[in-house]
Amino acid sequence: MLDIIKAVILGIVEGITEFLPISSTGHIVLVNEFIQLRESKAFIDMFNVVIQLGAILAVVVFYFHKLNPLSGRKSQLERSQTWTLWWKVLLAVIPSVIVGLPLNDWMDAHLMNWAVVSATLIIYGILFIVIENHNKGLTPKFADLNTLPYKTALFIGVFQLLSLIPGTSRSGATILGAIIIGTSRYVATEFSFFMAIPTMLGASLLKIYKFYDHGNSLVGLQSVVLLVGVVVSFIVAYLSIRFLLSYIKKNDFKAFGWYRIVLGILVIGYFVFFG
């Protein structure tokens, strides 16, 4: 029962932080210091990735009509634009497949520690503030997803590679990269959401495969714990998506930058004095 309660908490953390540019990994690392599941390391590693499936489903449900190229409620032009959007998304995830996939295990083994996480939290927090200040008053080149060129989509995918470093934040890297290239905050955020679908689905399926391939299996209440984490992650991620889209209509990302800096300092303080 205690692990189910912990799964709820971890699901909430995942749901809140996956799409906000504040690093779900940084938060999970910190939260695991206090409420780590009483399970095997293999299960915990798999759980921390697979609960992202809930967040993926939240994007699919939230944007189902917009992402559905077969919708009867769309005109022929709108269906064509939807197919084009999907091709841009798939193009954008190619760098992660080619470069990120082979490096993923090495990154996890060598960089998954509080020093790297805290450093990237602070560095990208500063970047958000600097870039938002620099772009203040500038008119974005791309304020509509339909006008986003394929080349720009690919460049955003290259920025996603930065998220291989723990603490960077996948959404943070892609949103920041898109804004640097010249998209509006809204376009950057939505495209980051859509890129998450194949990226996180692939990462989750790969983690499940590795879990079973190494001779592991779900025992006892582990399947219930995993399901609870996924369901809670879905509900909270759905609400987080609604919040972020509403927030950026009137605000920039500097508040998230300051939050990252404060969190990074707290992570350093905790591990230096109590770790």
Side-chain angles (χ1 to χ4, degrees):
M1 188 62 188
L2 184 59
D3 271 356
I4 292 177
I5 295 173
K6 291 179 179 178
V8 170
I9 296 172
L10 291 168
I12 292 172
V13 172
E14 168 63 27
I16 291 174
T17 61
E18 185 57 54
F19 296 116
L20 302 185
I22 54 178
S23 176
S24 59
T25 302
H27 287 77
I28 292 293
V29 166
L30 194 57
V31 171
N32 275 333
E33 286 295 308
F34 301 98
I35 58 166
Q36 192 171 80
L37 297 170
R38 297 181 301 177
E39 303 289 349
S40 67
K41 184 180 184 303
F43 176 80
I44 293 173
D45 289 344
M46 185 266 290
F47 175 91
N48 287 339
V49 174
V50 174
I51 55 173
Q52 295 176 347
L53 287 173
I56 299 169
L57 185 58
V59 176
V60 173
V61 171
F62 192 93
Y63 283 104
F64 184 76
H65 176 68
K66 187 167 186 172
L67 293 174
N68 181 10
L70 304 177
S71 174
R73 291 186 292 153
K74 289 183 175 180
S75 65
Q76 184 174 354
L77 174 61
E78 289 173 328
R79 287 196 291 270
S80 175
Q81 289 174 333
T82 305
W83 281 116
T84 300
L85 173 60
W86 271 113
W87 285 119
K88 291 175 184 176
V89 168
L90 293 176
L91 177 65
V93 302
I94 288 177
S96 293
V97 174
I98 295 176
V99 180
L101 195 58
L103 291 177
N104 184 257
D105 287 343
W106 186 91
M107 291 285 189
D108 282 349
H110 295 84
L111 300 181
M112 186 63 78
N113 57 71
W114 68 267
V116 172
V117 169
S118 59
T120 50
L121 281 170
I122 294 171
I123 290 170
Y124 284 92
I126 293 172
L127 285 174
F128 265 113
I129 296 169
V130 170
I131 290 169
E132 285 287 16
N133 285 336
H134 177 268
N135 287 357
K136 189 175 182 179
L138 297 180
T139 301
K141 296 178 184 176
F142 312 110
D144 185 336
L145 269 175
N146 292 320
T147 66
L148 191 72
Y150 279 97
K151 184 169 73 171
T152 302
L154 180 60
F155 284 158
I156 297 173
V158 172
F159 274 96
Q160 184 171 242
L161 289 174
L162 296 172
S163 65
L164 288 170
I165 303 173
T168 298
S169 168
R170 190 206 59 80
S171 61
T174 52
I175 289 173
L176 197 62
I179 291 174
I180 291 172
I181 292 170
T183 74
S184 67
R185 296 186 191 95
Y186 205 88
V187 167
T189 301
E190 284 202 322
F191 196 70
S192 175
F193 288 162
F194 302 155
M195 286 177 64
I197 298 173
T199 301
M200 293 161 56
L201 179 62
S204 298
L205 294 178
L206 179 62
K207 204 69 172 181
I208 292 172
Y209 168 76
K210 288 183 177 180
F211 178 76
Y212 285 102
D213 188 53
H214 288 104
N216 301 296
S217 61
L218 296 177
V219 296
L221 289 176
Q222 286 183 343
S223 57
V224 176
V225 171
L226 185 61
L227 179 61
V228 168
V230 170
V231 171
V232 173
S233 172
F234 164 76
I235 295 171
V236 178
Y238 188 92
L239 297 175
S240 295
I241 292 170
R242 292 187 60 178
F243 161 75
L244 185 59
L245 290 176
S246 175
Y247 178 85
I248 61 174
K249 287 179 180 179
K250 298 180 180 179
N251 303 277
D252 58 29
F253 284 102
K254 284 194 288 187
F256 295 108
W258 285 113
Y259 176 85
R260 290 178 64 103
I261 293 170
V262 171
L263 180 62
I265 293 171
L266 289 175
V267 171
I268 292 172
Y270 173 78
F271 283 98
V272 167
F273 294 105
F274 304 105

